[in-house]
Amino acid sequence: MIPPHSKKNFITHSRYICTVYMRKTERRNRQSRKQTNTPGKMTGKPIKKIAIFGGTHGNELTGVFLVKHWLQDGAEIQRTGLEVKPFITNPRAVKKCMRYIDCDLNRVFDLENLGKKISEDLPYEVRRAQEINHLFGPKDSKGSYDIIFDLHNTTSNMGCTLILEDSKNDFLIQMFHYIKTSLAPLPCYIYLIEHPSLKYATTRSIAKYPVGIEVGPQPQGVLRADILDQMRKMIKHALDFIHHFNEGKEFPPCTTEAYKIMEKVDFPRNENGEISAIIHPNLQMKPQSQLRGPHSGKTGGRKEPSPFTQMAAYLLWTCMCVEKAVCPCSAPHKAKYIILTSSPKAQDLLLSF
């Protein structure tokens, strides 16, 4: 049962300043350095296997279009020494132009679902998750793909956003900084979904370095040329960074902003658990997260403006899906600024091959 408004949960977002220090080892020391490949630390090993997922949500068409294009002609995503595989993750949902068939594919990559006995009684997306885990994983194993880029759209005006799952992942923080710098003056935001109790079990989480890419605004089931071009550039810059990394290029210290999930705020609901308010038309895509009841005309909610307009708009969801009410990303969110610095060990990170 959907919890009533009185029992609503909260998700807030916090802005982080992440500082990463990296330096390159001398060639004569390369063979003597111990190489590690632990998520959350900078790897000394070259990146080799990369997947680009489109169609995790079947009605988010930019990723679907790009992946299908690259399956026919993948010249632009190839880099020396890299194996780059484009892949349609939820073909049934893509065919029907639906978010999913039985359940959200982007929420079932936990070890419980991945370990279930194969059966026709399982939801389609759980069975598909097991297939994907077999092809690109297994999750949390040394044999899993190095990086998975998972391509998404949103109806909200949040522009280009990179989704990070681990604030200690220095490799991805450095990559995201490179992408942001390369895209400038086009804005690009970083969204950190790390949280002690809110677990997403994303499709990309089977990789050592999972990367979510979200670009909007774009209506569901629609393609926009400008949105497609922005996502295409994000992938290009990401692959360029990986190529430079494998070549041993030195990356200077960097500072970048990120927005971190803290709490979730549900929409106001009536005694039957039904949504009883909508976003005020004067606030749609605006900094404030006030709500107005559809019948009474009354307003409620937070009165102070949110400091992050685009992310707030994204998480307010222009197109609300009632059946997604329990999904961590389907409710309004607040935002605040805080500062995060990387661990002292980051100053001593070495790139070795």
Side-chain angles (χ1 to χ4, degrees):
M1 180 178 176
I2 299 173
H5 177 49
S6 60
K7 296 183 180 180
K8 65 183 180 180
N9 299 319
F10 291 88
I11 290 182
T12 59
H13 292 79
S14 303
R15 179 171 118 171
Y16 279 72
I17 306 299
C18 305
T19 306
V20 182
Y21 300 92
M22 299 188 299
R23 55 190 172 93
K24 183 175 60 176
T25 185
E26 298 176 1
R27 289 182 181 273
R28 64 177 179 270
N29 293 329
R30 286 182 176 179
Q31 299 302 319
S32 62
R33 299 287 185 183
K34 181 180 179 182
Q35 296 182 346
T36 60
N37 198 24
T38 304
K41 295 183 179 180
M42 193 72 184
T43 176
K45 296 181 179 180
I47 301 297
K48 293 187 178 295
K49 296 193 297 183
I50 299 171
I52 304 175
F53 286 178
T56 295
H57 295 141
N59 56 3
E60 298 174 7
L61 297 190
T62 303
V64 174
F65 182 93
L66 286 174
V67 165
K68 287 184 175 180
H69 169 70
W70 290 328
L71 284 170
Q72 294 179 348
D73 181 4
E76 70 178 278
I77 59 172
Q78 298 308 316
R79 301 292 187 278
T80 303
L82 295 182
E83 174 192 336
V84 184
K85 182 179 180 62
F87 185 77
I88 295 293
T89 43
N90 197 336
R92 290 191 187 179
V94 168
K95 185 176 181 179
K96 293 188 175 183
C97 198
M98 298 172 60
R99 182 177 174 89
Y100 56 71
I101 301 300
D102 294 324
C103 60
D104 194 336
L105 181 63
N106 208 31
R107 299 292 183 270
V108 295
F109 279 78
D110 55 276
L111 295 180
E112 180 183 356
N113 279 311
L114 296 178
K116 287 180 178 178
K117 185 177 179 180
I118 298 176
S119 166
E120 289 299 319
D121 295 332
L122 288 178
Y124 166 70
E125 276 79 10
V126 174
R127 285 181 278 126
R128 183 61 175 165
Q130 293 178 349
E131 295 172 6
I132 293 170
N133 187 54
H134 176 74
L135 291 171
F136 298 95
K139 185 174 182 175
D140 297 333
S141 74
K142 292 183 178 180
S144 64
Y145 265 58
D146 295 314
I147 299 176
I148 292 177
F149 296 103
D150 194 16
L151 309 183
H152 290 266
N153 291 118
T154 173
T155 57
S156 298
N157 188 18
M158 62 185 287
C160 300
T161 299
L162 295 158
I163 303 176
L164 180 67
E165 300 195 4
D166 181 2
S167 61
K168 296 181 176 65
N169 197 317
D170 298 312
F171 175 78
L172 290 184
I173 292 173
Q174 191 66 265
M175 178 199 286
F176 287 8
H177 178 266
Y178 179 91
I179 296 171
K180 283 167 61 74
T181 303
S182 300
L183 286 172
L186 182 68
C188 182
Y189 306 100
I190 298 174
Y191 177 36
L192 177 61
I193 63 171
E194 181 182 64
H195 192 276
S197 60
L198 295 170
K199 304 301 181 183
Y200 288 83
T202 60
T203 309
R204 58 191 175 268
S205 65
I206 57 177
K208 298 179 181 72
Y209 297 98
V211 178
I213 294 180
E214 188 113 24
V215 187
Q218 178 171 282
Q220 297 162 355
V222 173
L223 267 176
R224 280 183 50 167
D226 56 339
I227 300 298
L228 187 146
D229 181 63
Q230 291 170 26
M231 186 176 286
R232 199 172 192 170
K233 288 178 179 177
M234 294 173 79
I235 288 293
K236 174 193 179 301
H237 296 315
L239 293 174
D240 287 346
F241 171 85
I242 297 166
H243 176 71
H244 294 323
F245 171 79
N246 284 351
E247 292 292 312
K249 179 179 178 179
E250 183 174 357
F251 294 95
C254 71
T255 300
T256 190
E257 299 174 351
Y259 297 82
K260 184 180 186 299
I261 272 195
M262 298 298 289
E263 299 174 273
K264 177 171 114 172
V265 182
D266 194 11
F267 285 96
R269 298 179 183 274
N270 61 25
E271 60 277 5
N272 297 321
E274 300 169 330
I275 291 176
S276 60
I278 60 174
I279 306 304
H280 194 289
N282 293 336
L283 298 175
Q284 190 72 50
M285 305 295 186
K286 298 293 177 63
Q288 292 178 308
S289 57
Q290 263 186 332
L291 302 177
R292 181 176 71 176
H295 303 298
S296 66
K298 296 180 179 179
T299 60
R302 294 174 59 86
K303 295 182 179 180
E304 68 274 17
S306 164
F308 186 26
T309 305
Q310 289 84 2
M311 188 62 71
Y314 161 55
L315 293 159
L316 285 171
W317 276 39
T318 315
C319 298
M320 295 183 293
C321 301
V322 176
E323 71 273 18
K324 313 286 189 313
V326 296
C327 171
C329 280
S330 63
H333 298 64
K334 301 176 290 183
K336 65 178 181 180
Y337 296 120
I338 65 173
I339 296 176
L340 172 72
T341 55
S342 59
S343 64
K345 291 182 180 180
Q347 300 178 20
D348 299 321
L349 288 172
L350 299 172
L351 306 185
S352 57
F353 305 98

